[in-house]
Amino acid sequence: MFRMKMPSSQPHRNKGLILFLAAFLGITIFWQFILLLTDWFWFQEVGYEQIFLVSLWSKAAAAFIFGLFFFLIFFSNLYLADRFCRRINRNNEQNIYPFPLHLPSVGSLSNFIISISILFSVIAALRATDQWENIQRFFHATPFNINDPLFHIDISFYVFKLPLLQNIYSWLFSVLLLTAVSTGIIYFLRGSFLFYPPKTIQILPAAKKHMLIIIATLFFLGSFGFWLQLLEILFTKRGVVFGPGYTDATTQLWVLRMLVAISIFCGISIIVFAYQKKWQLPAFTLLIFFLFLFVGRGIYPSLVQKLKVVPNEISLERPYLEKNIKYTQIAYNLNNIVDREFPTEDNLSQADLRKNDLTIKNIRLWNHAPLLQTYSQMQEIRTYYKFIDIDNDRYLIDGEYRQIMLSPRELSYSSLPSRTWVNEHLTYTHGYGVVMGPVNRISREGLPEFFIRDIPPISSTNVKITQPKIYYGEKSNDYVFVKTRRPEFDYPLGNKNVYSSYDGKGGVSLSFWKKLLFATRFGSMTILLSDDITSGSRIMYYRDINERISHILPFMQLDKDPYLVITPEGKLVWFVDGYAVTKHFPYSEPTPGVGNYIRNSLKATVDAYDGTVQLYISDPNDPIIKTYARIFPDVFKPLSAMPRELQRHVRYPEGMMSIQARMFRAYHMEDPQVFYNKEDLWTIPRKFAQEKNEEMQPYYTIMKLPDESKEEFILLLPFTPSNKDNLSALMAARCDTPNYGKMIVYHFPKQKLVYGTRQIEARIDQDTEISKQLSLWNQGGSQVIRGSLLAIPIEKSILYVSSLYLAAEKGQLPELKRVIVAYGNMIAMEENLEQALQRIFGGGFAKDLETPPTNKQVKLDADKEQTDRQIGLKALDHYRRAQNSLRQGNWSAYGEELEKMSDLLKKLENR
């Protein structure tokens, strides 16, 4: 055999490559060590060391196991290839390579094999650390106690075990494929592929057997892959059904089972071919394999779907639609929604409004966007303070249950007048205070009233703030240092600034070595060199509340709308909702970005001053959160363990209802025939706006549900029929204990018109008085902003309320100028809610709103003589009704209304 001499530079090249790889691995490991150690300090601070240690050991175990198996598979095959192959005889003139080849020496190739095997094994190990969660879920799975309808396996298998099996299969297939290619390269470099002119290739026996055994192993593994595909068919969609419908159930189940068996036969036949030179058997099995793969998996089901299912879709898909409806309802917790009828009546009276005065007082007039602008102009005080969002909540204000709107005043680091390192990380460390006000009160200037305002916070009610500093929020920077020699900016006071020093328990304590570690992590030598940072100082990082919770619970999906709560002690505490989600719930329709199963299983709180995180299980029946509670037994607390004062501020998340409502639009139809024809499909009403046409968002209110005796905090969202604007239903989620989380859908009568929000908006536009006023404002260089129209159930009627804001064309201070109330065929626009209600229902409603009257008082008030203004308003109302009847051509109603107007005017004349 001919051995070609290797150039003298080759050993140096291999050595340089090995040194480069070693340096790369060293830097990667060092950086990971820095992140790991500083994260350990942080987990010690927040008190969740168990999560850190369990996940660390799980990652280490996954890395070791996957890395070891990769090395054993990859290195052993390359090593055997290196030993089995023979050198070609270059003196044989018939053996010609199609391109110049420099053959490496035995020693250099062996070193290269070891180096590349170690490198790939380390990469495989690092990538395998992501599987720690799947491994833990596999071994701590909690049963759902619900079987899938096709294979009758508990759903926990698909949620907790199938993902790991899928990843193991993909990983093994990739490893074997890489090993096959690399082994082929080794054999090629060792000359086991012989090339003869003109186009003949011969593989030496050892190489042939080895390569065929690897290929056979791929087929054996493929049988496992087809078994997984058999299970994954539960999450496919073909036609009208999500999940296996008629076509998949009748064609794909047996085809996939056949492919499982055929793959095994292919592997056996290839091994037989490796030791015997009979190619007919593997050729036949491979032909059958590809026939089933392309025809059975592609052509056959397509033909069945087009030629048999589509012409008879509803009759063939009916049983599968039933499964789809049932399991989607379970996955989104729609099966626990209570359906009730709402027999709407048009007899709402002044007495009914008095009975529901707490509902009236808590109708939200202020929309989030204009109120946020107004708060920003009136209460940010300095340019570096920002209001990020407006939160709705409820408090007991001076003994009365009130809905409020609250916004924390956070520090915006991008708006600092001087963005030096000292300012961003030592001086400006926290936001300060909140703004809070009622949802329905308006000043004479059209501006909001405040319960809490200014810096330091001034409160006009019993809700006080004793600790207004916000170190942890929605707009915090990466890290700050507290308890340093440099005083922290607290708040401005006239031409001076007030400074303070942090005295809480938040942050990680420092030493010289820790300063060195954090300087490396954050890439700032200033941390190490600053004289202001002492051994008594602390560093706060992961200050963004969502990032803070996500770092503790990376497996939970967090709501995008955290909200701040003022405790009775005057502290500020953030609430964050967490969702348990999966995309492996059989027969359930998926939601983009979420999956096809969701539960609001987590309520997390974060102290805005010291960063303390508490985690509570809000849905103890959810198997996903129960599985994580098994993995981390000391982490989660029951919701009952939350302080009672905080429990009063737990609310049903808007994000959760939005997802459920989108699914409920179609999946409230339980009859497959109705579902298939979309006969009762609902939609979520669109907002009425000049530029955008977005769906309405759920809105909070305090109201008394039908057949209930007490007002409570409710989340509402209306539905309309598809392609129509009238109301079809109203979804309500209860937020107060002991009914938290219970959902009710009120169905409106189909035989009676109940105005939808867009219909009311259209009627507002058609009202000549309102239209004239809006045109006047728009022509005067002002911008009219239409607020959201809210549908508020009161007794057996629906009251519609909206607000109109006026802003200068280039101004940023919207003023709430008018409130529009619609009821039945009547619409009123006045300066405030009380006057609008009075115009529709008459009576001295504004005067009586503050104190709920007794039944006896209501009767006495109804018998009192009315004032001149009230009589005049009633006469005007009859005049408008007469005009409406005239436009409709209803002459009898026109005459009746004119007669009633005449009687009232005569009564006024005789006073």
Side-chain angles (χ1 to χ4, degrees), residues 588-685:
S588 175
E589 185 83 27
T591 297
V594 176
N596 61 0
Y597 171 94
I598 186 170
R599 289 292 186 274
N600 175 216
S601 302
L602 177 75
K603 301 288 183 184
T605 63
V606 181
D607 191 295
Y609 184 65
D610 60 31
T612 301
V613 178
Q614 300 291 344
L615 306 172
Y616 302 95
I617 295 177
S618 54
D619 188 350
N621 298 318
D622 171 38
I624 295 180
I625 198 70
K626 288 166 75 175
T627 295
Y628 286 119
R630 285 184 176 184
I631 299 171
F632 309 109
D634 301 326
V635 168
F636 301 98
K637 301 176 182 178
L639 192 60
S640 58
M642 179 185 287
R644 189 174 297 275
E645 295 77 14
L646 291 181
Q647 285 187 42
R648 295 193 180 102
H649 296 279
V650 170
R651 68 183 194 184
Y652 200 85
E654 293 179 55
M656 181 71 179
M657 176 181 269
S658 295
I659 293 170
Q660 290 177 301
R662 289 191 188 100
M663 299 308 298
F664 200 69
R665 292 178 303 178
Y667 284 94
H668 71 277
M669 298 179 283
E670 297 186 353
D671 183 273
Q673 178 82 41
V674 176
F675 183 89
Y676 175 79
N677 293 324
K678 301 291 186 284
E679 295 175 22
D680 194 22
L681 182 66
W682 294 346
T683 58
I684 298 171

Side-chain angles (χ1 to χ4, degrees), residues 570-764:
K571 296 181 179 180
L572 303 179
V573 176
W574 291 98
F575 270 68
V576 183
D577 286 282
Y579 304 117
V581 298
T582 183
K583 59 181 181 180
H584 291 105
F585 200 94
Y587 271 107
S588 175
E589 185 83 27
T591 297
V594 176
N596 61 0
Y597 171 94
I598 186 170
R599 289 292 186 274
N600 175 216
S601 302
L602 177 75
K603 301 288 183 184
T605 63
V606 181
D607 191 295
Y609 184 65
D610 60 31
T612 301
V613 178
Q614 300 291 344
L615 306 172
Y616 302 95
I617 295 177
S618 54
D619 188 350
N621 298 318
D622 171 38
I624 295 180
I625 198 70
K626 288 166 75 175
T627 295
Y628 286 119
R630 285 184 176 184
I631 299 171
F632 309 109
D634 301 326
V635 168
F636 301 98
K637 301 176 182 178
L639 192 60
S640 58
M642 179 185 287
R644 189 174 297 275
E645 295 77 14
L646 291 181
Q647 285 187 42
R648 295 193 180 102
H649 296 279
V650 170
R651 68 183 194 184
Y652 200 85
E654 293 179 55
M656 181 71 179
M657 176 181 269
S658 295
I659 293 170
Q660 290 177 301
R662 289 191 188 100
M663 299 308 298
F664 200 69
R665 292 178 303 178
Y667 284 94
H668 71 277
M669 298 179 283
E670 297 186 353
D671 183 273
Q673 178 82 41
V674 176
F675 183 89
Y676 175 79
N677 293 324
K678 301 291 186 284
E679 295 175 22
D680 194 22
L681 182 66
W682 294 346
T683 58
I684 298 171
R686 298 279 174 177
K687 291 181 182 178
F688 188 91
Q690 289 88 351
E691 297 179 359
K692 297 182 180 180
N693 192 26
E694 301 172 344
E695 286 184 349
M696 281 186 68
Q697 296 299 313
Y699 51 93
Y700 293 100
T701 189
I702 290 177
M703 59 169 285
K704 190 189 299 180
L705 289 173
D707 302 322
E708 297 289 339
S709 59
K710 183 180 178 184
E711 286 83 358
E712 51 188 299
F713 197 53
I714 302 291
L715 184 62
L716 292 176
L717 184 65
F719 291 103
T720 61
S722 180
N723 299 319
K724 292 184 180 293
D725 290 329
N726 59 288
L727 284 188
S728 56
L730 189 67
M731 177 179 279
R734 307 174 78 171
C735 300
D736 292 345
T737 54
N739 296 310
Y740 172 78
K742 294 180 180 179
M743 299 188 73
I744 305 169
V745 170
Y746 294 97
H747 297 262
F748 297 115
K750 293 185 178 180
Q751 68 276 9
K752 183 178 181 180
L753 173 65
V754 180
Y755 286 119
T757 53
R758 290 188 67 86
Q759 289 175 321
I760 296 294
E761 294 280 10
R763 289 183 55 213
I764 291 172

Side-chain angles (χ1 to χ4, degrees), residues 232-291:
E232 291 165 5
I233 204 171
L234 287 165
F235 316 111
T236 59
K237 181 177 177 64
R238 192 195 302 266
V240 297
V241 182
F242 183 84
Y246 177 86
T247 299
D248 289 319
T250 57
T251 68
Q252 294 304 285
L253 297 184
W254 70 268
V255 167
L256 285 168
R257 290 184 177 116
M258 287 296 297
L259 282 169
V260 170
I262 293 171
S263 294
I264 296 173
F265 282 118
C266 284
I268 294 172
S269 66
I270 290 172
I271 291 176
V272 171
F273 176 62
Y275 290 93
Q276 298 178 8
K277 296 183 179 180
K278 297 179 180 180
W279 57 268
Q280 292 85 353
L281 179 62
F284 177 74
T285 55
L286 288 173
L287 178 64
I288 297 297
F289 173 80
F290 286 111
L291 186 67

Side-chain angles (χ1 to χ4, degrees), residues 97-324:
Y97 280 86
F99 46 82
L101 180 66
H102 296 284
L103 296 178
S105 65
V106 175
S108 62
L109 186 58
S110 299
N111 291 336
F112 179 77
I113 289 173
I114 294 173
S115 302
I116 202 71
S117 298
I118 293 174
L119 174 64
F120 284 0
S121 298
V122 171
I123 294 173
L126 291 175
R127 293 190 63 183
T129 57
D130 295 337
Q131 295 302 315
W132 75 269
E133 185 184 337
N134 284 333
I135 293 171
Q136 287 288 353
R137 284 156 56 108
F138 187 95
F139 290 106
H140 295 88
T142 302
F144 275 70
N145 296 320
I146 304 171
N147 291 341
D148 80 87
L150 194 62
F151 303 112
H152 307 292
I153 302 172
D154 190 273
I155 289 175
S156 61
F157 172 82
Y158 303 101
V159 174
F160 302 122
K161 299 188 177 183
L162 183 60
L164 180 62
L165 297 178
Q166 289 171 324
N167 281 289
I168 288 175
Y169 166 73
S170 300
W171 181 83
L172 281 173
F173 195 87
S174 301
V175 172
L176 287 175
L177 201 59
L178 179 63
T179 301
V181 173
S182 302
T183 303
I185 293 172
I186 295 298
Y187 280 120
F188 179 78
L189 293 176
R190 286 295 190 220
S192 293
F193 292 86
L194 305 181
F195 298 86
Y196 298 100
K199 295 181 180 180
T200 303
I201 302 175
Q202 181 182 348
I203 304 174
L204 295 181
K208 175 184 173 183
K209 290 179 182 177
H210 191 180
M211 295 297 297
L212 287 173
I213 289 173
I214 295 176
I215 294 171
T217 307
L218 281 169
F219 273 96
F220 291 139
L221 181 62
S223 67
F224 177 63
F226 287 120
W227 178 75
L228 291 177
Q229 288 184 36
L230 186 65
L231 300 175
E232 291 165 5
I233 204 171
L234 287 165
F235 316 111
T236 59
K237 181 177 177 64
R238 192 195 302 266
V240 297
V241 182
F242 183 84
Y246 177 86
T247 299
D248 289 319
T250 57
T251 68
Q252 294 304 285
L253 297 184
W254 70 268
V255 167
L256 285 168
R257 290 184 177 116
M258 287 296 297
L259 282 169
V260 170
I262 293 171
S263 294
I264 296 173
F265 282 118
C266 284
I268 294 172
S269 66
I270 290 172
I271 291 176
V272 171
F273 176 62
Y275 290 93
Q276 298 178 8
K277 296 183 179 180
K278 297 179 180 180
W279 57 268
Q280 292 85 353
L281 179 62
F284 177 74
T285 55
L286 288 173
L287 178 64
I288 297 297
F289 173 80
F290 286 111
L291 186 67
F292 269 85
L293 187 63
F294 293 111
V295 177
R297 291 285 284 157
I299 299 173
Y300 177 43
S302 297
L303 290 175
V304 171
Q305 182 71 22
K306 290 179 181 178
L307 302 179
K308 185 174 183 179
V309 175
V310 172
N312 309 282
E313 201 162 40
I314 183 57
S315 60
L316 295 178
E317 299 286 24
R318 185 181 185 90
Y320 305 101
L321 280 172
E322 289 176 349
K323 298 170 185 176
N324 181 201

